[in-house]
């Protein structure tokens, strides 16, 4: 019997297999991946081709053909009588009986294809034997640090800084090579004039070296303002201390007088012993004593005269100070503000000037630290910290100084409105206790963004007659709509007390000039107040002129009325 395949318009048998063409199992796996079949749940059989040792492909046996959503390049196979797989859209001839099926086919499945012929499916594919898995490697998994969340909106930006770090670059002094300088610092500390002259000459040629090696005015105690320009070193006193305050000529005079006194003293002793004829000896002794005293008084170290005192005269100090100030100004002109500040800090010992220079150059953090730690200007330090966005340091100072409004301003910069309002409330209450209701209203309106509360404060000041006119004037000025302003004027008039009339008139006069569309309404209210006040204060009639400037006769009428009122009195 010869079995034949012929084309068919449909599938007469159930689809229970998928045919994947390809010589390599890798191709099969790619096809099965597209089909999305689990190799552990399906049976796969290889199919040989018409050539020896060459595979045609494989067939995958399905339990349910409806599981497949996409077959890709694979194709369905029909299963006949649970024995024979044939391609889809095909049929076999001749038709076989049940006995013929049992006689021709054994227990295994068979595959029948025009290109391969009839093939018995005997052995399934052993994927474990065919596939070699790569060796497992131990992987050290590194957990990344938690990332920084980038906000969509930046409400506030502040900086943090360390005072020591900020001033480190300003305070550092280079000591390398200091022993090679053409002057002796130790002798300068003792007031040696010659060494000081060497220093001045050195600075004239090398001004930058002063900053490099840091030779300050106060190196030997010569800080500005000490001893009126005469600078004493060591623990001197008595005779030498008095001499240190004298000029050079004065010192010579002192040496001369002392020499004469000593010669007279020696002569009196010799004469008392009957000795005479030593005139030439007296002259020699005088010269010796005068020379010794002159050298002692003008010596670089006068320790023998009074316990180790030394001095730098006023002229040398001024020259040194001038050199440093010129160097600082030179740096400022070159916009090297940090170097200029170093000159003021280390050489001139002027902390406030150093802070001012840093502030001018935009180094607000450094300026703030100097103001805070090296001067009494704490509020200025906080101001610089705010400019440098170092809000935490500024807050500490403002709180210590009880500058509550400024502390509130800093909290606003930090976008902490609740804390800011807490400090603003303290300020507003303090203003109210001092009867400064207008300023209190500014805090509520401008700082706390609560204009209604600000208006209530102004009304409170008006009703309690605390700076009444300014409170009412600001209250009405803050009302933008003319209609609302006139309504407020009317409400206040309904509750007006006799002692408030003058202040009320002064306030609504300004509104009359400003509210063009409601002049008549305001004028009518003014007339009523004027008429009430005229009974006890006839001079109030002059207010009518402000509301009738076009009427020239009103001035005459007012003058007549006031004259008659005086006569009645």
């Amino acid at each position: 019997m010869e079995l034949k395949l012929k084309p068919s318009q449909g599938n007469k048998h159930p689809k229970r297999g998928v045919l994947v063409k390809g010589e390599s199992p890798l191709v099969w796996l790619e096809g099965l991946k597209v089909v999305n079949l689990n190799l552990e749940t399906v049976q796969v059989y290889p199919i040989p081709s018409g050539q020896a040792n060459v595979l045609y492909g494989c067939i995958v046996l399905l339990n349910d053909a409806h599981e497949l959503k996409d077959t890709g390049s694979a194709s369905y196979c029909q299963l006949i009588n649970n024995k024979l797989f044939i391609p889809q859209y095909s049929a076999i001839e001749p038709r076989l009986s049940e006995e013929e099926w049992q006689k021709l086919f054994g227990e295994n499945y068979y595959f029948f294809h025009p290109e391969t012929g009839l093939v018995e499916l005997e052995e399934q594919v052993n994927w474990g034997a065919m596939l070699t898995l790569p060796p497992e490697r131990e992987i050290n998994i590194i957990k990344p640090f938690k990332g920084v969340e980038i906000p969509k909106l930046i409400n506030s930006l502040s900086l943090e800084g360390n005072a020591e770090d900020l001033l480190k670059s300003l305070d550092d002094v280079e000591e390398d090579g200091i022993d090679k300088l053409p002057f002796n610092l130790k002798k300068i500390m003792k007031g040696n004039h010659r060494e000081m002259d060497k220093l001045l000459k050195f600075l004239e040629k090398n001004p930058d070296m002063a900053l490099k090696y840091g030779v300050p005015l106060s190196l030997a105690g010569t800080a500005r303002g000490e001893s009126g320009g005469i600078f004493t070193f060591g623990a001197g006193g008595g005779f030498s201390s008095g001499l240190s305050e004298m000029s050079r000529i004065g010192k010579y005079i002192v040496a001369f007088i002392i020499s004469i006194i000593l010669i007279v003293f020696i002569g009196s002793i010799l004469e008392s012993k009957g000795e005479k004829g030593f005139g030439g000896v007296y002259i020699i002794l005088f010269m010796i004593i005068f020379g010794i005293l002159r050298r002692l008084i003008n010596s670089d170290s006068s320790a023998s005269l009074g316990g180790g005192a030394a001095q730098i005269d006023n002229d040398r100090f001024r020259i040194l100070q001038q050199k440093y100030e010129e160097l600082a100004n030179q740096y400022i002109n070159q916009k090297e503000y940090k170097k200029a500040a170093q000159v003021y800090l280390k050489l001139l010992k002027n902390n406030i000037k150093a802070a001012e220079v840093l502030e001018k150059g935009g180094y607000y953090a450094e300026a703030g630290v100097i103001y805070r730690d090296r001067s009494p200007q704490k509020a200025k330090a906080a101001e610089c910290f705010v400019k440098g966005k170092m809000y935490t340091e500024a807050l500490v100072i403002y709180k210590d100084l009880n500058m509550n409004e400024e502390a509130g301003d800093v909290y606003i910069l930090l976008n902490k409105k609740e804390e800011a309002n807490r400090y603003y409330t303290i300020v507003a209450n303090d203003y109210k206790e001092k009867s400064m209701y207008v300023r209190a209203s500014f805090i509520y309106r401008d700082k706390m963004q609560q204009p209604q509360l600000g208006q209530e404060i102004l009304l409170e000041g008006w009703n309690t007659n605390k700076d009444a006119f300014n409170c009412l004037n600001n209250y009405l000025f803050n009302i933008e709509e003319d209609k609302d302003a006139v309504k407020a004027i009317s409400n206040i008039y309904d509750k007006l007390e006799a002692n408030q009339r003058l202040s009320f008139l002064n306030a609504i006069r300004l509104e009359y000039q400003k509210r063009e569309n409601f002049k008549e309404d305001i004028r009518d209210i003014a007339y009523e107040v004027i008429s009430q006040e005229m009974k006890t204060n006839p001079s109030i009639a002059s207010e009518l002129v402000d509301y009738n400037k076009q009427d020239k006769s009103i001035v005459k009428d007012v003058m007549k009325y006031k004259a008659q009122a005086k006569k009645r009195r």
Side-chain angles (χ1 to χ4, degrees):
M1 179 181 295
E2 181 180 2
L3 293 175
K4 295 181 180 180
L5 285 174
K6 66 176 183 178
S8 174
Q9 293 183 352
N11 296 317
K12 298 181 180 180
H13 306 284
K15 294 181 290 185
R16 289 293 184 267
V18 175
L19 175 64
V20 180
K21 293 182 180 181
E23 299 179 5
S24 170
L26 293 176
V27 178
W28 305 348
L29 289 173
E30 288 293 333
L32 294 175
K33 182 179 180 181
V34 175
V35 176
N36 195 23
L37 291 173
N38 188 350
L39 297 179
E40 295 180 355
T41 61
V42 296
Q43 300 176 39
V44 181
Y45 291 90
I47 300 174
S49 67
Q51 300 179 15
N53 300 322
V54 178
L55 294 173
Y56 177 77
C58 72
I59 183 171
V60 183
L61 277 58
L62 304 175
N63 296 323
D64 186 357
H66 297 293
E67 295 178 357
L68 304 181
K69 296 181 180 180
D70 183 13
T71 59
S73 61
S75 59
Y76 281 113
C77 293
Q78 303 176 77
L79 180 58
I80 306 174
N81 203 27
N82 202 30
K83 284 293 182 181
L84 180 62
F85 286 97
I86 63 174
Q88 62 180 343
Y89 305 117
S90 65
I92 61 169
E93 288 184 349
R95 296 183 61 181
L96 300 178
S97 64
E98 185 65 34
E99 293 179 359
E100 290 174 330
W101 279 105
Q102 294 295 332
K103 183 178 180 180
L104 294 175
F105 299 96
E107 295 180 356
N108 295 327
Y109 291 107
Y110 291 82
F111 177 74
F112 189 26
H113 195 276
E115 298 180 23
T116 63
L118 184 65
V119 178
E120 183 177 4
L121 306 178
E122 296 179 340
E123 185 177 356
Q124 296 186 40
V125 175
N126 186 356
W127 296 106
M130 294 179 63
L131 301 176
T132 302
L133 298 176
E136 295 184 358
R137 293 186 302 172
E138 293 185 1
I139 301 176
N140 184 19
I141 300 176
I142 300 175
K143 185 178 179 181
F145 290 107
K146 187 177 180 181
V148 178
E149 182 181 358
I150 301 177
K152 296 181 180 179
L153 178 63
I154 299 177
N155 295 317
S156 176
L157 175 65
S158 62
L159 302 177
E160 299 292 335
N162 184 278
E164 295 181 0
D165 294 338
L166 290 171
L167 294 181
K168 187 176 181 181
S169 61
L170 298 175
D171 284 338
D172 285 345
V173 176
E174 184 175 339
E175 297 182 357
D176 295 339
I178 198 167
D179 54 340
K180 299 179 181 179
L181 294 174
F183 51 84
N184 192 311
L185 293 180
K186 293 182 179 179
K187 289 185 178 181
I188 290 177
M189 292 181 65
K190 294 180 180 180
N192 190 302
H193 290 169
R194 292 179 182 177
E195 296 301 321
M196 179 58 67
D197 291 338
K198 292 179 182 179
L199 169 62
L200 295 175
K201 187 175 181 181
F202 175 77
L203 294 181
E204 185 174 352
K205 296 181 179 180
N206 307 279
D208 290 340
M209 298 298 288
L211 183 59
K212 181 178 180 181
Y213 292 110
V215 185
L217 286 180
S218 61
L219 180 67
T222 56
R224 184 182 305 185
E226 295 180 10
S227 304
I230 299 298
F231 308 96
T232 303
F233 308 90
F239 179 68
S240 66
S241 191
L243 291 176
S244 66
E245 298 180 0
M246 297 182 184
S247 64
R248 184 177 295 272
I249 296 175
K251 294 173 184 176
Y252 285 149
I253 294 174
V254 170
F256 182 81
I257 295 173
I258 294 174
S259 299
I260 292 177
I261 292 173
L262 288 175
I263 289 298
V264 171
F265 178 72
I266 293 172
S268 62
I269 294 175
L270 292 175
E271 290 180 358
S272 64
K273 294 181 178 181
E275 300 289 341
K276 295 182 178 180
F278 288 93
V281 175
Y282 290 156
I283 294 174
I284 295 173
L285 285 175
F286 173 81
M287 296 300 295
I288 293 173
I289 294 172
F290 178 74
I292 292 173
L293 289 176
R294 186 182 63 183
R295 280 195 291 271
L296 286 174
I297 292 174
N298 292 306
S299 65
D300 293 333
S301 176
S302 57
S304 61
L305 288 180
Q311 62 185 8
I312 293 178
D313 60 51
N314 203 19
D315 292 337
R316 288 183 174 86
F317 174 80
R318 282 197 299 267
I319 294 173
L320 185 61
Q321 181 183 31
Q322 182 180 354
K323 295 290 184 184
Y324 288 159
E325 288 179 348
E326 289 176 357
L327 180 61
N329 290 330
Q330 175 184 335
Y331 284 136
I332 292 173
N333 293 333
Q334 295 172 354
K335 299 189 182 303
E336 297 186 62
Y337 297 102
K338 271 196 170 183
K339 286 187 176 181
Q342 285 179 310
V343 173
Y344 283 113
L345 276 177
K346 297 190 301 182
L347 306 183
L348 291 168
K349 297 300 179 181
N350 191 333
N351 295 324
I352 293 179
K353 188 64 177 179
E356 291 175 353
V357 169
L358 289 169
E359 184 181 3
K360 179 180 179 181
Y363 297 97
Y364 299 116
E366 292 86 345
V369 172
I370 295 176
Y371 278 129
R372 181 190 65 187
D373 298 342
R374 302 186 181 186
S375 82
Q377 300 186 25
K378 308 303 180 184
K380 189 67 176 178
E383 180 183 333
C384 287
F385 283 139
V386 171
K387 291 179 180 178
K389 300 187 184 303
M390 298 181 66
Y391 300 134
T392 303
E393 286 78 3
L395 272 176
V396 172
I397 296 175
Y398 282 141
K399 290 179 181 179
D400 289 343
L401 298 177
N402 292 322
M403 299 177 68
N404 296 311
E405 184 173 350
E406 288 77 5
D409 293 341
V410 175
Y411 274 122
I412 289 294
L413 294 173
L414 290 169
N415 198 35
K416 296 181 178 180
K417 294 183 179 180
E418 292 186 5
E419 290 86 346
N421 287 345
R422 182 157 55 88
Y423 281 89
Y424 286 148
T425 301
I426 295 174
V427 177
N429 291 337
D430 183 58
Y431 281 143
K432 287 174 61 178
E433 290 179 2
K434 297 176 181 178
S435 299
M436 302 168 68
Y437 284 85
V438 175
R439 288 196 177 184
S441 72
F442 288 159
I443 296 297
Y444 281 103
R445 187 189 67 189
D446 300 333
K447 301 286 188 176
M448 302 174 68
Q449 302 300 316
Q450 298 179 12
Q452 186 57 40
L453 284 177
Q455 290 292 81
E456 293 177 5
I457 293 294
L458 291 172
L459 275 182
E460 182 180 344
W462 164 255
N463 292 326
T464 57
N465 202 25
K466 303 289 181 61
D467 196 13
F469 167 74
N470 288 323
C471 286
L472 182 58
N473 184 36
N474 280 273
Y475 176 81
L476 297 175
F477 178 82
N478 293 334
I479 302 175
E480 296 181 0
E481 297 293 333
D482 292 348
K483 183 177 180 180
D484 296 335
V486 173
K487 183 178 180 181
I489 292 173
S490 179
N491 292 336
I492 295 172
Y493 170 68
D494 292 339
K495 303 175 182 178
L496 192 65
E497 300 290 339
N499 61 347
Q500 296 177 316
R501 290 171 183 166
L502 293 178
S503 298
F504 180 77
L505 282 173
N506 290 332
I508 66 172
R509 184 193 309 116
L510 299 175
E511 295 301 309
Y512 174 78
Q513 298 170 359
K514 183 173 64 173
R515 313 286 181 177
E516 292 290 339
N517 298 327
F518 293 87
K519 284 183 174 292
E520 293 184 3
D521 299 293
I522 298 176
R523 183 170 56 191
D524 291 342
I525 296 175
Y527 282 171
E528 294 183 17
V529 176
I530 292 171
S531 64
Q532 295 170 0
E533 186 69 13
M534 284 174 64
K535 298 176 183 178
T536 57
N537 184 13
S539 62
I540 199 70
S542 300
E543 296 286 334
L544 295 172
V545 177
D546 293 326
Y547 297 95
N548 298 274
K549 290 186 178 181
Q550 303 299 326
D551 190 350
K552 296 181 179 180
S553 62
I554 191 69
V555 177
K556 296 179 180 179
D557 295 338
V558 168
M559 293 180 64
K560 289 180 180 179
Y561 173 79
K562 293 170 67 175
Q564 292 175 359
K566 285 183 178 180
K567 290 180 179 180
R568 287 195 296 269
R569 290 183 180 180

